[in-house]
Amino acid sequence: MRKSAKFFSVILTLGVILSSMAASAGSKIVFADFSWESAQFHNRVAGYILEHGFDREVAYSLTEEMPGFLGLERGDLQLAMETWVDNSIAIWDKITKKGKVLEMGKNYPNAPQGWYVPTFIIEGDPERGIEPLAPDLRSVTDLPKYWKIFQDPENDDKGRFLNGPTGWPISIKNVDRLKAYGLDDTYVNFYAGSGAALAVGIASAFEKGRPVLAYYWEPTPLLGKYDMTKLEEPPYDPKVWKETGMCAFPACRVLKTGNRAFLESEPEIRNFVERYETSLELTSEALAVMDTEGMSSAQAAEWFLREHTEVWSPWVDEEVRAKVSKALGL
């Protein structure tokens, strides 16, 4: 009797475990939907493939970096297709050392950031009747002789450097860099009120054919839409960057990441995510189309999948490819 009871107990327990595993395997996949546009775009490209090619339900949870990292660690969130780990490297290193989050390679090559000017300032734009105002402008060190081109509206004696918002750590670093390069003698630091205000400030100047010197990064809708030139600096050096900042910005790794337990239980999805690979140019192109056409990130993802079958086809097997193509009407 005891053996029989024990046997049925084992069977019952095994059934519960198997049912749990099956439920987990078919559960909703939630993306860490970081607040910048490129991350949301890539999440939806992957999400569309998972939904239509793998027959899985997907969701997107809006988050900033810190709570997103923690969500991936806990397993509340399963995937993030664009994780800028170097922006919060101390936190990321601490989390990954616990072994609960996996890095699955780069989405696209390291993302650049720096100080940009409209290319027409250097090369001119015959179609718009714009003559080159600073044909020899190549480097940050050339800026002192061109301050009048970027003249601050509120200061007749200095140019204006359009910085990020005060709440961004990189904005504080930019102020230190202005001083280190000796540019605080010829340029005024001007904080944008927000990330959106920074983008509007650059776009407005470009549209009007006016000079602007500003901090920005790639890939973004703005740099996908407008022809901007990043000014040269000495090569990035960790020691120099930490001490004075008188070198190129560190390029940020843009990784695909996910919860380890989820990925180890889903080998086919893990294989797909590991194969997922794009480029700065493709991402900027999609973001520019999204901005110009007023698309949502989901609409931009479908546009990308229709227009670039040669890019995503190698990510998946023939069966998944056929399902996704059918859903897209290809």
Side-chain angles (χ1 to χ4, degrees):
M1 189 72 173
R2 286 181 183 176
K3 287 183 179 180
S4 179
K6 185 176 181 180
F7 172 79
F8 284 113
S9 176
V10 170
I11 292 298
L12 179 61
T13 301
L14 181 59
V16 171
I17 291 173
L18 292 174
S19 297
S20 176
M21 289 175 65
S24 175
S27 61
K28 183 186 295 184
I29 300 170
V30 184
F31 287 84
D33 215 29
F34 296 119
S35 62
W36 51 93
E37 292 152 311
S38 54
Q40 294 174 5
F41 160 73
H42 281 293
N43 280 348
R44 280 154 187 79
V45 170
Y48 191 95
I49 291 173
L50 289 173
E51 185 175 4
H52 296 281
F54 289 84
D55 302 315
R56 297 296 293 272
E57 185 179 0
V58 299
Y60 308 93
S61 180
L62 184 63
T63 183
E64 296 298 343
E65 288 177 305
M66 178 66 166
F69 292 172
L70 293 174
L72 290 169
E73 179 186 22
R74 289 192 303 266
D76 302 331
L77 307 173
Q78 282 75 51
L79 292 172
M81 301 305 293
E82 187 185 292
T83 313
W84 291 48
V85 298
D86 293 318
N87 282 354
S88 305
I89 192 63
I91 299 169
W92 182 252
D93 284 346
K94 184 177 180 180
I95 287 174
T96 52
K97 283 179 181 177
K98 297 178 182 178
K100 295 183 179 181
V101 178
L102 288 180
E103 298 178 356
M104 292 173 289
K106 294 180 180 180
N107 181 325
Y108 49 80
N110 292 349
Q113 52 185 331
W115 292 359
Y116 289 81
V117 299
T119 301
F120 63 70
I121 297 299
I122 302 168
E123 300 178 3
D125 186 345
E127 291 186 5
R128 301 172 68 189
I130 300 174
E131 296 292 330
L133 297 176
D136 298 324
L137 178 57
R138 295 288 182 273
S139 168
V140 167
T141 57
D142 296 326
L143 287 171
K145 64 182 178 181
Y146 289 116
W147 70 264
K148 287 186 179 180
I149 293 176
F150 305 101
Q151 190 166 12
D152 187 282
E154 301 171 5
N155 189 328
D156 294 338
D157 299 322
K158 291 187 177 183
R160 170 177 286 189
F161 170 69
L162 181 57
N163 201 351
T166 55
W168 292 1
I170 197 64
S171 300
I172 298 171
K173 189 68 176 181
N174 277 329
V175 174
D176 294 337
R177 283 161 44 80
L178 280 170
K179 293 177 181 177
Y181 277 118
L183 294 172
D184 55 332
D185 292 331
T186 48
Y187 286 84
V188 172
N189 173 67
F190 184 86
Y191 288 114
S194 64
L198 174 61
V200 168
I202 297 171
S204 176
F206 195 101
E207 293 282 358
K208 295 175 181 177
R210 296 177 181 173
V212 62
L213 167 65
Y215 163 77
Y216 222 65
W217 65 96
E218 301 177 61
T220 54
L222 186 117
L223 293 186
K225 184 176 182 180
Y226 299 116
D227 186 7
M228 304 283 287
T229 294
K230 184 162 70 74
L231 297 179
E232 297 173 1
E233 298 184 66
Y236 171 70
D237 183 303
K239 183 177 180 181
V240 174
W241 178 260
K242 183 177 181 180
E243 293 177 353
T244 66
M246 291 180 64
C247 64
F249 285 76
C252 289
R253 290 174 295 158
V254 184
L255 304 181
K256 301 160 294 180
T257 61
N259 176 265
R260 178 185 288 273
F262 166 75
L263 290 165
E264 289 183 346
S265 69
E266 300 277 6
E268 292 183 355
I269 292 177
R270 179 175 179 174
N271 185 49
F272 154 59
V273 175
E274 288 175 341
R275 289 183 180 183
Y276 188 111
E277 184 179 2
T278 63
S279 68
L280 280 168
E281 292 75 20
L282 284 168
T283 303
S284 291
E285 178 193 14
L287 294 178
V289 169
M290 183 169 70
D291 182 67
T292 302
E293 301 297 327
M295 293 180 178
S296 67
S297 53
Q299 290 170 328
E302 289 190 40
W303 171 88
F304 174 84
L305 290 166
R306 288 193 183 95
E307 293 295 319
H308 292 290
T309 55
E310 80 287 354
V311 175
W312 64 265
S313 290
W315 302 342
V316 294
D317 62 27
E318 186 175 348
E319 181 182 355
V320 172
R321 191 180 308 122
K323 287 182 178 179
V324 173
S325 295
K326 182 179 180 180
L328 291 168
L330 297 176

